[in-house]
Amino acid sequence: MLSSDEWQKRTVEDGAVRCPACDALTVTMGACAVGAYTIYQEYVCENCGYEFQAMFGLIGCVPGHNNEDNDARGIVPPAGN
Ligand SMILES: [Zn+2]
């Protein structure tokens, strides 16, 4: 079983969500709980049945699509990679 830190590091490196218990890529997304600055996404592993939640934290904001002047409030979209 990976620790939370180990799982987070590997998920970012792989660009894919794996089961922290058995390493399978066959995980199914469940419900998503949205808070003011955190989001919890439920997953169920189809291989071993392990249930876990990915926790996402607030890191910033970007303009929406309907602004006449995107930079009017000092919010600059992230640079493309
Ligand atoms: Zn699993």
Side-chain angles (χ1 to χ4, degrees):
M1 180 75 69
L2 292 180
S3 72
S4 175
D5 286 348
E6 291 167 340
W7 180 87
Q8 188 268 353
K9 183 172 183 288
R10 192 185 58 186
T11 301
V12 170
E13 287 174 353
D14 287 358
V17 174
R18 291 176 184 269
C19 174
C22 76
D23 221 32
L25 280 166
T26 51
V27 293
T28 300
M29 296 174 87
C32 182
V34 181
Y37 51 84
T38 54
I39 294 177
Y40 290 88
Q41 173 65 59
E42 295 179 351
Y43 289 94
V44 180
C45 177
E46 300 302 329
N47 183 52
C48 74
Y50 184 71
E51 298 182 14
F52 61 101
Q53 298 182 65
M55 181 176 70
F56 296 82
L58 180 67
I59 61 169
C61 66
V62 296
H65 298 294
N66 60 344
N67 298 324
E68 292 182 8
D69 180 353
N70 279 346
D71 295 338
R73 293 169 189 84
I75 301 170
V76 180
N81 292 320

Coordinates of all heavy atoms in Angstrom, one line a residue:
M1 N 0.9 -1.2 0.0 CA 0.0 0.0 0.0 C 0.9 1.2 0.0 O 1.7 1.4 0.9 CB -0.9 0.0 1.2 CG -1.8 1.2 1.4 SD -3.2 1.1 0.2 CE -4.2 -0.3 1.0
L2 N 0.6 2.1 -1.0 CA 1.4 3.4 -1.0 C 0.9 4.3 0.0 O -0.3 4.4 0.3 CB 1.3 4.0 -2.4 CG 1.9 3.3 -3.6 CD1 1.6 4.1 -4.9 CD2 3.4 3.1 -3.4
S3 N 1.8 5.2 0.5 CA 1.4 6.3 1.4 C 0.7 7.3 0.5 O 0.8 7.3 -0.8 CB 2.5 6.9 2.1 OG 3.4 7.6 1.2
S4 N 0.0 8.3 1.1 CA -0.6 9.4 0.4 C 0.5 10.1 -0.5 O 0.2 10.4 -1.6 CB -1.3 10.3 1.3 OG -1.8 11.4 0.6
D5 N 1.6 10.4 0.1 CA 2.6 11.2 -0.6 C 3.2 10.4 -1.7 O 3.4 10.9 -2.8 CB 3.8 11.6 0.4 CG 3.4 12.7 1.3 OD1 2.3 13.3 1.1 OD2 4.1 12.9 2.3
E6 N 3.4 9.1 -1.5 CA 4.0 8.2 -2.6 C 3.0 8.1 -3.7 O 3.3 8.2 -4.9 CB 4.2 6.8 -2.0 CG 5.4 6.8 -1.1 CD 5.5 5.4 -0.3 OE1 4.4 4.7 -0.2 OE2 6.5 5.1 0.2
W7 N 1.7 8.0 -3.4 CA 0.6 7.9 -4.4 C 0.5 9.2 -5.2 O 0.4 9.2 -6.4 CB -0.7 7.6 -3.7 CG -1.8 7.4 -4.7 CD1 -2.2 6.3 -5.4 CD2 -2.7 8.5 -5.1 NE1 -3.3 6.6 -6.2 CE2 -3.6 7.9 -6.0 CE3 -2.9 9.8 -4.8 CZ2 -4.6 8.7 -6.6 CZ3 -3.9 10.6 -5.4 CH2 -4.7 10.0 -6.3
Q8 N 0.6 10.3 -4.5 CA 0.5 11.6 -5.2 C 1.6 11.8 -6.2 O 1.4 12.2 -7.3 CB 0.4 12.7 -4.2 CG 0.1 14.1 -4.7 CD 1.4 14.9 -5.1 OE1 2.5 14.5 -4.8 NE2 1.2 16.0 -5.7
K9 N 2.8 11.5 -5.7 CA 4.0 11.7 -6.5 C 3.9 10.8 -7.8 O 4.2 11.3 -8.9 CB 5.3 11.3 -5.7 CG 6.6 11.5 -6.4 CD 7.7 11.3 -5.4 CE 9.1 11.6 -6.0 NZ 9.5 10.5 -7.0
R10 N 3.5 9.6 -7.6 CA 3.5 8.7 -8.8 C 2.4 9.1 -9.7 O 2.5 8.9 -11.0 CB 3.3 7.2 -8.3 CG 3.5 6.2 -9.5 CD 3.2 4.8 -9.1 NE 1.8 4.8 -8.6 CZ 1.2 3.7 -8.1 NH1 2.0 2.6 -7.9 NH2 0.0 3.7 -7.7
T11 N 1.2 9.5 -9.2 CA 0.1 9.9 -10.1 C 0.5 11.1 -10.9 O 0.2 11.1 -12.1 CB -1.1 10.3 -9.2 OG1 -1.5 9.2 -8.4 CG2 -2.3 10.7 -10.1
V12 N 1.2 12.1 -10.4 CA 1.7 13.2 -11.1 C 2.7 12.8 -12.2 O 2.7 13.2 -13.3 CB 2.3 14.3 -10.2 CG1 3.0 15.4 -11.0 CG2 1.2 14.9 -9.3
E13 N 3.6 11.9 -11.8 CA 4.7 11.4 -12.7 C 4.0 10.6 -13.9 O 4.4 10.8 -15.1 CB 5.7 10.5 -12.0 CG 6.6 11.3 -11.1 CD 7.5 10.4 -10.3 OE1 7.4 9.2 -10.3 OE2 8.4 11.0 -9.6
D14 N 3.1 9.7 -13.6 CA 2.5 8.9 -14.6 C 1.4 9.6 -15.4 O 1.1 9.2 -16.5 CB 1.8 7.7 -13.9 CG 2.8 6.7 -13.4 OD1 4.0 6.9 -13.6 OD2 2.3 5.7 -12.8
G15 N 0.8 10.6 -14.8 CA -0.3 11.3 -15.5 C -1.6 10.4 -15.5 O -2.4 10.5 -16.4
A16 N -1.6 9.4 -14.6 CA -2.7 8.5 -14.6 C -2.9 8.0 -13.1 O -2.0 7.9 -12.3 CB -2.5 7.3 -15.4
V17 N -4.2 7.7 -12.8 CA -4.5 7.3 -11.5 C -4.5 5.8 -11.4 O -5.1 5.1 -12.2 CB -6.0 7.8 -11.1 CG1 -6.4 7.2 -9.7 CG2 -6.0 9.3 -11.0
R18 N -3.7 5.3 -10.4 CA -3.6 3.9 -10.1 C -4.1 3.6 -8.7 O -4.1 4.4 -7.9 CB -2.1 3.4 -10.2 CG -1.5 3.4 -11.6 CD 0.0 3.0 -11.5 NE 0.7 3.1 -12.7 CZ 0.8 2.1 -13.6 NH1 0.2 0.9 -13.3 NH2 1.4 2.2 -14.7
C19 N -4.5 2.3 -8.5 CA -4.9 1.9 -7.2 C -3.7 1.9 -6.3 O -2.6 1.4 -6.6 CB -5.5 0.5 -7.3 SG -5.8 -0.2 -5.7
P20 N -3.8 2.6 -5.1 CA -2.7 2.6 -4.2 C -2.4 1.3 -3.5 O -1.4 1.1 -2.9 CB -3.1 3.7 -3.1 CG -4.6 3.8 -3.2 CD -5.0 3.4 -4.6
A21 N -3.4 0.4 -3.6 CA -3.2 -0.9 -3.0 C -2.6 -2.0 -3.9 O -1.7 -2.7 -3.5 CB -4.6 -1.4 -2.5
C22 N -3.0 -2.0 -5.1 CA -2.6 -3.1 -6.0 C -1.9 -2.6 -7.3 O -1.5 -3.4 -8.1 CB -3.7 -4.0 -6.4 SG -4.8 -3.4 -7.6
D23 N -1.9 -1.3 -7.5 CA -1.2 -0.7 -8.6 C -1.9 -0.7 -10.0 O -1.4 -0.3 -11.0 CB 0.2 -1.3 -8.8 CG 1.3 -0.2 -9.2 OD1 1.1 0.9 -8.7 OD2 2.2 -0.6 -9.9
A24 N -3.2 -1.3 -10.0 CA -3.9 -1.4 -11.2 C -4.4 0.0 -11.7 O -4.6 0.9 -11.0 CB -5.1 -2.3 -11.0
L25 N -4.4 0.1 -13.1 CA -5.0 1.3 -13.7 C -6.5 1.3 -13.9 O -7.1 2.3 -14.3 CB -4.3 1.5 -15.1 CG -2.9 2.0 -15.1 CD1 -2.3 1.8 -16.5 CD2 -2.9 3.5 -14.7
T26 N -7.1 0.1 -13.6 CA -8.5 0.0 -13.8 C -9.3 0.5 -12.6 O -9.8 -0.3 -11.8 CB -8.9 -1.5 -14.0 OG1 -8.2 -2.3 -13.0 CG2 -8.3 -1.9 -15.4
V27 N -9.3 1.8 -12.4 CA -10.0 2.4 -11.3 C -11.2 3.2 -11.9 O -11.1 3.8 -12.9 CB -9.1 3.3 -10.4 CG1 -8.1 2.5 -9.7 CG2 -8.5 4.4 -11.3
T28 N -12.3 3.1 -11.2 CA -13.5 3.8 -11.7 C -13.8 5.0 -10.8 O -13.8 4.9 -9.5 CB -14.7 2.8 -11.7 OG1 -14.4 1.7 -12.5 CG2 -16.0 3.5 -12.1
M29 N -14.1 6.1 -11.4 CA -14.4 7.3 -10.6 C -15.8 7.2 -10.1 O -16.8 6.9 -10.8 CB -14.3 8.6 -11.5 CG -12.9 8.8 -12.0 SD -12.8 10.2 -13.1 CE -12.6 11.6 -12.0
G30 N -16.0 7.6 -8.8 CA -17.3 7.7 -8.2 C -17.7 9.1 -8.0 O -17.4 10.0 -8.8
A31 N -18.4 9.3 -6.8 CA -18.9 10.7 -6.5 C -17.7 11.7 -6.3 O -16.6 11.3 -5.9 CB -19.8 10.6 -5.3
C32 N -18.0 12.9 -6.5 CA -17.1 14.0 -6.3 C -17.7 15.0 -5.3 O -18.8 15.5 -5.5 CB -16.8 14.6 -7.6 SG -15.6 15.9 -7.5
A33 N -17.0 15.3 -4.2 CA -17.5 16.2 -3.2 C -16.7 17.5 -3.3 O -15.5 17.5 -3.1 CB -17.4 15.6 -1.8
V34 N -17.3 18.6 -3.6 CA -16.7 19.9 -3.8 C -16.9 20.8 -2.6 O -18.0 21.1 -2.2 CB -17.2 20.6 -5.1 CG1 -16.5 21.9 -5.3 CG2 -17.1 19.7 -6.3
G35 N -15.7 21.2 -2.0 CA -15.8 22.2 -0.9 C -15.2 23.5 -1.3 O -15.0 23.8 -2.5
A36 N -15.0 24.4 -0.4 CA -14.5 25.8 -0.7 C -13.1 25.7 -1.3 O -12.8 26.5 -2.2 CB -14.6 26.7 0.5
Y37 N -12.3 24.9 -0.8 CA -10.9 24.8 -1.3 C -10.4 23.4 -1.4 O -9.2 23.2 -1.5 CB -10.0 25.7 -0.4 CG -10.1 25.5 1.1 CD1 -9.4 24.5 1.7 CD2 -10.9 26.3 1.8 CE1 -9.4 24.3 3.0 CE2 -11.0 26.1 3.2 CZ -10.3 25.1 3.8 OH -10.4 24.9 5.1
T38 N -11.2 22.4 -1.3 CA -10.8 21.0 -1.5 C -11.9 20.3 -2.3 O -13.1 20.7 -2.3 CB -10.6 20.2 -0.2 OG1 -11.8 20.3 0.6 CG2 -9.4 20.7 0.6
I39 N -11.5 19.3 -3.1 CA -12.4 18.4 -3.8 C -11.9 17.0 -3.5 O -10.7 16.7 -3.5 CB -12.4 18.6 -5.3 CG1 -12.9 20.0 -5.6 CG2 -13.1 17.5 -6.0 CD1 -12.9 20.4 -7.1
Y40 N -12.9 16.1 -3.1 CA -12.6 14.7 -2.9 C -13.2 13.9 -4.0 O -14.5 14.0 -4.2 CB -13.1 14.3 -1.5 CG -12.4 14.8 -0.4 CD1 -12.7 16.0 0.2 CD2 -11.3 14.1 0.2 CE1 -12.0 16.6 1.3 CE2 -10.6 14.6 1.3 CZ -11.0 15.8 1.8 OH -10.3 16.4 2.9
Q41 N -12.4 13.2 -4.7 CA -12.9 12.3 -5.8 C -12.8 10.9 -5.4 O -11.7 10.4 -5.1 CB -12.1 12.6 -7.1 CG -12.5 11.6 -8.2 CD -13.9 11.8 -8.7 OE1 -14.3 12.9 -9.1 NE2 -14.7 10.7 -8.6
E42 N -14.0 10.2 -5.4 CA -13.9 8.8 -5.0 C -13.5 7.9 -6.1 O -13.9 8.2 -7.3 CB -15.4 8.3 -4.5 CG -15.9 9.0 -3.3 CD -17.3 8.6 -2.9 OE1 -17.9 7.9 -3.7 OE2 -17.7 8.9 -1.8
Y43 N -12.8 6.9 -5.8 CA -12.4 5.8 -6.8 C -12.6 4.5 -6.2 O -12.5 4.3 -5.0 CB -10.9 6.0 -7.1 CG -10.5 7.2 -8.0 CD1 -10.1 8.3 -7.3 CD2 -10.6 7.1 -9.3 CE1 -9.7 9.4 -8.1 CE2 -10.2 8.2 -10.1 CZ -9.8 9.4 -9.5 OH -9.4 10.5 -10.2
V44 N -12.9 3.5 -7.1 CA -13.0 2.1 -6.7 C -12.1 1.3 -7.7 O -12.2 1.5 -8.9 CB -14.5 1.6 -6.8 CG1 -14.5 0.1 -6.4 CG2 -15.4 2.4 -5.9
C45 N -11.3 0.5 -7.1 CA -10.4 -0.3 -7.9 C -11.2 -1.5 -8.4 O -11.8 -2.3 -7.7 CB -9.2 -0.8 -7.2 SG -8.1 -1.9 -8.1
E46 N -11.2 -1.7 -9.8 CA -11.9 -2.8 -10.3 C -11.1 -4.1 -10.2 O -11.7 -5.2 -10.4 CB -12.2 -2.6 -11.8 CG -13.1 -1.3 -12.1 CD -14.4 -1.4 -11.3 OE1 -14.9 -2.5 -11.1 OE2 -14.9 -0.3 -10.9
N47 N -9.9 -4.0 -9.9 CA -9.0 -5.2 -9.8 C -9.1 -5.8 -8.4 O -9.4 -7.0 -8.2 CB -7.6 -4.9 -10.1 CG -6.7 -6.1 -10.0 OD1 -6.9 -7.1 -10.7 ND2 -5.6 -6.0 -9.3
C48 N -9.0 -5.0 -7.3 CA -8.9 -5.6 -6.0 C -10.1 -5.1 -5.1 O -10.2 -5.6 -4.0 CB -7.6 -5.2 -5.3 SG -7.4 -3.5 -4.8
G49 N -10.9 -4.2 -5.6 CA -12.0 -3.7 -4.8 C -11.7 -2.6 -3.8 O -12.6 -2.1 -3.1
Y50 N -10.5 -2.2 -3.7 CA -10.1 -1.1 -2.8 C -10.8 0.2 -3.1 O -10.8 0.6 -4.3 CB -8.6 -1.0 -2.8 CG -8.0 0.0 -1.7 CD1 -8.1 -0.3 -0.4 CD2 -7.5 1.2 -2.1 CE1 -7.6 0.5 0.6 CE2 -7.0 2.1 -1.2 CZ -7.1 1.8 0.2 OH -6.6 2.6 1.1
E51 N -11.3 0.9 -2.1 CA -11.9 2.2 -2.3 C -11.0 3.2 -1.7 O -10.5 3.1 -0.6 CB -13.3 2.2 -1.7 CG -14.3 1.2 -2.3 CD -15.7 1.3 -1.7 OE1 -16.0 2.3 -1.0 OE2 -16.5 0.4 -1.9
F52 N -10.9 4.3 -2.5 CA -10.0 5.4 -2.0 C -10.6 6.8 -2.5 O -11.4 6.8 -3.5 CB -8.6 5.2 -2.3 CG -8.2 5.2 -3.8 CD1 -7.7 6.3 -4.4 CD2 -8.5 4.0 -4.5 CE1 -7.4 6.2 -5.8 CE2 -8.2 3.9 -5.9 CZ -7.6 5.1 -6.5
Q53 N -10.1 7.8 -2.0 CA -10.5 9.2 -2.4 C -9.2 10.0 -2.8 O -8.3 10.0 -2.0 CB -11.3 9.9 -1.4 CG -12.6 9.3 -1.0 CD -13.3 10.1 0.0 OE1 -13.8 11.2 -0.3 NE2 -13.5 9.6 1.2
A54 N -9.2 10.6 -3.9 CA -8.2 11.6 -4.2 C -8.6 12.9 -3.7 O -9.7 13.3 -3.9 CB -8.0 11.6 -5.8
M55 N -7.6 13.6 -3.0 CA -7.9 14.9 -2.5 C -7.2 16.0 -3.3 O -6.0 15.9 -3.5 CB -7.5 15.0 -1.0 CG -7.8 16.3 -0.4 SD -7.3 16.4 1.4 CE -5.5 16.4 1.2
F56 N -8.0 17.0 -3.8 CA -7.5 18.0 -4.6 C -7.6 19.3 -3.8 O -8.6 19.6 -3.1 CB -8.3 18.2 -5.9 CG -8.2 17.0 -6.8 CD1 -9.0 15.9 -6.6 CD2 -7.3 17.0 -7.8 CE1 -9.0 14.8 -7.4 CE2 -7.3 15.9 -8.7 CZ -8.1 14.8 -8.5
G57 N -6.5 20.2 -3.8 CA -6.5 21.4 -3.1 C -6.5 22.6 -4.0 O -6.1 22.6 -5.2
L58 N -7.0 23.7 -3.5 CA -7.1 25.0 -4.3 C -5.7 25.5 -4.6 O -4.9 25.6 -3.6 CB -7.9 26.0 -3.5 CG -8.1 27.4 -4.1 CD1 -8.9 27.3 -5.4 CD2 -8.7 28.3 -3.1
I59 N -5.4 25.8 -5.8 CA -4.1 26.4 -6.1 C -4.1 27.7 -6.9 O -3.1 28.3 -7.1 CB -3.2 25.4 -7.0 CG1 -3.9 25.1 -8.3 CG2 -3.0 24.1 -6.2 CD1 -3.0 24.3 -9.3
G60 N -5.3 28.2 -7.2 CA -5.4 29.5 -7.9 C -6.7 29.6 -8.7 O -7.6 28.8 -8.5
C61 N -6.7 30.6 -9.6 CA -7.9 30.8 -10.4 C -7.5 31.3 -11.8 O -6.4 31.9 -11.9 CB -8.9 31.7 -9.8 SG -8.4 33.4 -9.6
V62 N -8.3 31.0 -12.8 CA -8.1 31.6 -14.1 C -9.4 32.2 -14.6 O -10.4 31.9 -14.1 CB -7.6 30.4 -15.1 CG1 -6.3 29.9 -14.6 CG2 -8.6 29.3 -15.1
P63 N -9.3 33.0 -15.6 CA -10.5 33.7 -16.1 C -11.5 32.7 -16.7 O -11.1 31.7 -17.2 CB -10.0 34.6 -17.2 CG -8.6 34.8 -16.9 CD -8.1 33.5 -16.3
G64 N -12.8 33.0 -16.6 CA -13.8 32.2 -17.3 C -13.8 32.6 -18.8 O -13.0 33.4 -19.3
H65 N -14.8 32.0 -19.5 CA -14.9 32.2 -20.9 C -15.7 33.4 -21.4 O -15.6 33.8 -22.5 CB -15.4 31.0 -21.6 CG -14.6 29.7 -21.3 ND1 -13.3 29.6 -21.8 CD2 -14.9 28.6 -20.6 CE1 -12.8 28.4 -21.4 NE2 -13.7 27.8 -20.7
N66 N -16.4 34.0 -20.5 CA -17.4 35.0 -20.9 C -16.9 36.4 -20.5 O -17.7 37.4 -20.5 CB -18.8 34.8 -20.3 CG -18.8 34.7 -18.8 OD1 -17.7 34.6 -18.2 ND2 -19.9 34.8 -18.2
N67 N -15.7 36.6 -20.1 CA -15.2 37.9 -19.7 C -14.8 38.7 -21.0 O -14.2 38.2 -21.9 CB -13.9 37.8 -18.8 CG -14.2 37.1 -17.6 OD1 -15.3 37.2 -17.0 ND2 -13.3 36.2 -17.1
E68 N -15.2 40.0 -21.0 CA -14.9 40.9 -22.1 C -13.4 41.2 -22.1 O -12.8 41.3 -23.2 CB -15.7 42.2 -22.1 CG -17.2 41.9 -22.4 CD -18.0 43.2 -22.4 OE1 -17.4 44.3 -22.3 OE2 -19.3 43.1 -22.4
D69 N -12.9 41.4 -20.9 CA -11.4 41.7 -20.8 C -10.9 40.7 -19.8 O -11.0 40.9 -18.6 CB -11.2 43.1 -20.3 CG -9.8 43.4 -20.2 OD1 -8.9 42.5 -20.3 OD2 -9.5 44.6 -20.0
N70 N -10.2 39.6 -20.3 CA -9.8 38.6 -19.4 C -8.8 39.0 -18.3 O -8.8 38.4 -17.2 CB -9.1 37.5 -20.2 CG -10.1 36.5 -20.9 OD1 -11.3 36.6 -20.5 ND2 -9.7 35.8 -21.8
D71 N -8.0 40.0 -18.6 CA -7.0 40.4 -17.6 C -7.4 41.6 -16.8 O -6.7 42.2 -16.0 CB -5.7 40.8 -18.3 CG -5.1 39.5 -19.0 OD1 -5.5 38.4 -18.6 OD2 -4.4 39.7 -19.9
A72 N -8.7 42.0 -16.9 CA -9.2 43.2 -16.2 C -9.0 43.1 -14.7 O -8.8 44.1 -14.0 CB -10.6 43.5 -16.5
R73 N -9.1 41.9 -14.1 CA -9.0 41.8 -12.7 C -7.6 41.2 -12.3 O -7.5 40.7 -11.1 CB -10.1 40.9 -12.2 CG -11.5 41.5 -12.4 CD -12.6 40.5 -12.2 NE -13.9 41.1 -12.6 CZ -14.3 41.1 -13.8 NH1 -13.6 40.5 -14.8 NH2 -15.5 41.6 -14.1
G74 N -6.7 41.3 -13.2 CA -5.4 40.9 -12.8 C -5.1 39.4 -12.8 O -4.1 38.9 -12.3
I75 N -6.1 38.6 -13.3 CA -6.0 37.2 -13.4 C -5.4 36.8 -14.7 O -6.1 37.1 -15.8 CB -7.3 36.5 -13.1 CG1 -7.8 36.9 -11.7 CG2 -7.1 35.0 -13.2 CD1 -9.3 36.4 -11.5
V76 N -4.3 36.1 -14.8 CA -3.7 35.8 -16.0 C -3.7 34.2 -16.2 O -3.3 33.5 -15.3 CB -2.2 36.3 -16.1 CG1 -1.6 35.9 -17.4 CG2 -2.2 37.8 -15.8
P77 N -4.2 33.8 -17.4 CA -4.3 32.3 -17.6 C -2.9 31.7 -17.5 O -1.9 32.4 -17.8 CB -4.8 32.2 -19.0 CG -5.4 33.5 -19.3 CD -4.7 34.5 -18.5
P78 N -2.7 30.5 -17.1 CA -1.4 29.8 -17.1 C -0.9 29.7 -18.5 O -1.6 29.6 -19.5 CB -1.7 28.4 -16.6 CG -3.1 28.2 -16.8 CD -3.8 29.6 -16.7
A79 N 0.5 29.8 -18.7 CA 1.1 29.7 -20.0 C 1.0 28.3 -20.5 O 1.0 27.4 -19.7 CB 2.6 30.1 -19.8
G80 N 0.8 28.2 -21.8 CA 0.7 26.8 -22.4 C 2.0 26.1 -22.3 O 3.1 26.7 -22.2
N81 N 1.9 24.8 -22.2 CA 3.1 24.0 -22.1 C 3.6 23.6 -23.4 O 2.9 23.1 -24.2 CB 2.8 22.7 -21.2 CG 2.6 23.1 -19.8 OD1 3.2 24.0 -19.2 ND2 1.6 22.4 -19.2
Ligands
ZN1 ZN -6.5 -2.3 -6.5

